[in-house]
Amino acid sequence: MVISHHGRPATTLRGERASAFLRDVEADDPQELMARLTGNYRRGNERQARHHPRNRGR
């Protein structure tokens, strides 16, 4: 399985990782799952949001 971004391949999933992705995508947010798999996770404001007062208890 190839995950692409703007028509360019971002990552390729094979075997168990591909099966797990298909299972998880039905229950979770597909965009967040793809971001984690491609390594493009917590690069922007997500890091700063962790320290925001409303997110301190999480």
Side-chain angles (χ1 to χ4, degrees), residues 33-50:
L33 287 171
M34 288 184 283
R36 286 184 191 168
L37 290 170
T38 59
N40 218 3
Y41 186 65
R42 290 192 180 247
R43 297 214 178 219
N45 62 357
E46 297 93 348
R47 263 186 244 206
Q48 295 170 348
R50 179 177 52 196

Side-chain angles (χ1 to χ4, degrees), residues 1-2 4 10-11 14-15 17 20-21 23-24 28 34-36 39-40 42 44-45 48 51 53-57:
M1 170 183 306
V2 176
S4 60
T11 192
R14 294 182 178 92
R17 287 186 73 190
F21 174 76
R23 271 193 317 266
D24 295 343
D28 291 332
M34 288 184 283
R36 286 184 191 168
N40 218 3
R42 290 192 180 247
N45 62 357
Q48 295 170 348
H51 301 293
R54 85 171 156 246
N55 297 326
R56 295 262 170 134

